[in-house]
Structure formats: structure tokens, C-alpha cells
Amino acid sequence: MIQISEKELTRQFRILKQMLSMHAMLRDRYFRCALLIDILLLASSVVFCATTFARDGVFSYLGLSPTNVRYILGIASIVAFFASLVALRSDWKGKGASHRDAVQKLGKVLSTCRECQQEDGSWPQDCMSDLHRAYWDAMNNIIEVPDRLFVTLKTRHLKKVELSKMSDLNPGCPVFVLRIILFFKGVARAVRRTPERAEVGTDGQRFKNSK
């Protein structure tokens, strides 16, 4: 049986919440980009269909000359070709689906952890090994967060957590005011503190700076 400390399991629980939030952000970002490409392709297709069967009299009624129509068709063709290349090279739908799968796997483990966690925040001894194994099964079978986006996504996650706490204490305060307060508090705290050494755990590069 795997021996794991309660402190380590608590750290893994915190990382689970952070990674779930980060993968959800990436899932939404990639699906938004894929939706934009689909809209561009759909708009270009509408232009093609509308101009293919329309007579010249229809264009004249709309104040469009045959030359302008050719320009519109040319622009729509370029947009459709460019959007097709972007969709082919970027594979935003595939990336979004991978991060959606990561959210689902991490969400299941997080739900199990919350069911096992006691009211005082401690963990039952008979569940710790199973939770530790479930944690690593999920982490080893999901797509990684890109290195160049790790710090940005982690910062957004921590901001979201702090905004949630501030909102609980000040439910009547507008969110944009809380964002401004959080911004200045963060700047002031960063100026006062000396840089601290980042803790890199045994989780691997994927979970660096997770403290």
C-alpha cells in the first residue's frame, strides 16, 4: 500500500483545483477560436451561395455592379481559404476536445476528494492511498498545459479564487471594483515582499510553481 502524508494529499487536492481551472480556460479558449473559424467559413459559404444563383438584376437592385460582385467573391474566397488553412494547422477543435477530456477526468477525481474530505479538512486514512492513486492516474493521462501559458493561467486562476473570496465578503460590490482593489493590493504586496524561492515539487515540470 502506498504511504502518503496528509500534507501531501492536501497539496495534491489544491493542485487538482488549479489544474482543473487551467484546463477549463484552455478548453474555452480553443473552442472560441474554432467557433470563429466556423463562422468565417459559414459566412463565406453564404456569400458563394447567394451570388451563384442570383441574377444581375438582383445585384443592380442592391446597388452592386458586376465588378463589385467579383471583388466580394474574391474576398470571400480568400477568407475561406485562409480560414481553412488556419483550421487545418491549428487544430483548435482537437486541442479543445483534449482539454475538455482533462477537465472531465480531473473533475471526477476532485469530486471524489471532496466526498472523502472531512469537515475539518483532514483525510480518512483508509481513503488516502486510493485518492493518491486516482490523482496520478488522472495527471498521467491528460494533455499538458503549455509552458508558455502556465504562469498566465495560474495567475488567472489565483485571481479568480481571490475575487471569489472578496465577493463573499462584499456581495454588494461590483466585480470591476473588486478587480481594481485586487490589482492594487497585488502590486503593493509584490513591492513589499522580496522574491521568494519557488517551490518545485515532485509532480514534474507540469506542476512547477504550484505553491
Side-chain angles (χ1 to χ4, degrees):
M1 180 179 295
I2 301 176
Q3 297 296 327
I4 180 174
S5 66
E6 187 169 322
K7 180 179 179 181
E8 172 63 15
L9 191 60
T10 301
R11 187 188 68 86
Q12 292 179 356
F13 181 63
R14 173 175 50 80
I15 291 177
L16 271 175
K17 293 187 289 185
Q18 175 180 298
M19 297 301 295
L20 176 63
S21 178
M22 294 167 69
H23 281 288
M25 295 177 195
L26 289 173
R27 175 202 60 193
D28 296 341
R29 173 185 298 185
Y30 289 130
F31 278 144
R32 281 196 301 267
C33 292
L35 177 61
L36 177 60
I37 293 297
D38 289 342
I39 291 175
L40 290 176
L41 290 173
L42 179 61
S44 300
S45 300
V46 170
V47 172
F48 295 149
C49 294
T51 55
T52 298
F53 301 103
R55 297 179 179 179
D56 293 341
V58 176
F59 299 135
S60 300
Y61 178 78
L62 297 175
L64 298 174
S65 65
T67 302
N68 290 335
V69 173
R70 286 196 297 271
Y71 286 150
I72 294 174
L73 283 173
I75 293 174
S77 300
I78 294 174
V79 170
F81 179 69
F82 177 76
S84 299
L85 288 179
V86 172
L88 181 64
R89 294 289 298 174
S90 61
D91 190 27
W92 283 325
K93 286 186 178 181
K95 292 178 180 178
S98 297
H99 288 288
R100 180 181 59 193
D101 179 67
V103 169
Q104 293 174 349
K105 291 180 178 179
L106 293 173
K108 290 180 180 179
V109 179
L110 187 61
S111 177
T112 303
C113 290
R114 284 172 173 164
E115 291 176 359
C116 295
Q117 191 175 31
Q118 299 176 346
E119 293 184 0
D120 59 355
S122 60
W123 307 91
Q125 290 293 329
D126 56 341
C127 294
M128 293 177 64
S129 296
D130 292 337
L131 293 178
H132 176 72
R133 188 179 302 106
Y135 168 85
W136 280 112
D137 286 343
M139 289 297 185
N140 290 331
N141 291 281
I142 60 175
I143 187 173
E144 293 188 6
V145 174
D147 289 344
R148 60 185 178 84
L149 299 176
F150 187 93
V151 176
T152 301
L153 294 173
K154 179 182 177 182
T155 301
R156 288 182 58 186
H157 165 72
L158 295 177
K159 285 181 180 178
K160 182 176 68 174
V161 173
E162 290 300 318
L163 280 174
S164 179
K165 294 178 181 178
M166 294 172 66
S167 180
D168 290 339
L169 297 175
N170 307 278
C173 186
V175 176
F176 78 91
V177 175
L178 296 179
R179 291 181 183 274
I180 294 174
I181 295 174
L182 180 61
F183 171 78
F184 284 106
K185 287 177 60 177
V187 172
R189 189 182 301 115
V191 171
R192 289 196 304 267
R193 289 183 178 180
T194 57
E196 298 179 356
R197 183 178 179 182
E199 178 181 346
V200 181
T202 59
D203 295 26
Q205 185 273 342
R206 169 173 18 187
F207 314 119
K208 64 182 180 180
N209 299 324
S210 60
K211 183 176 180 179

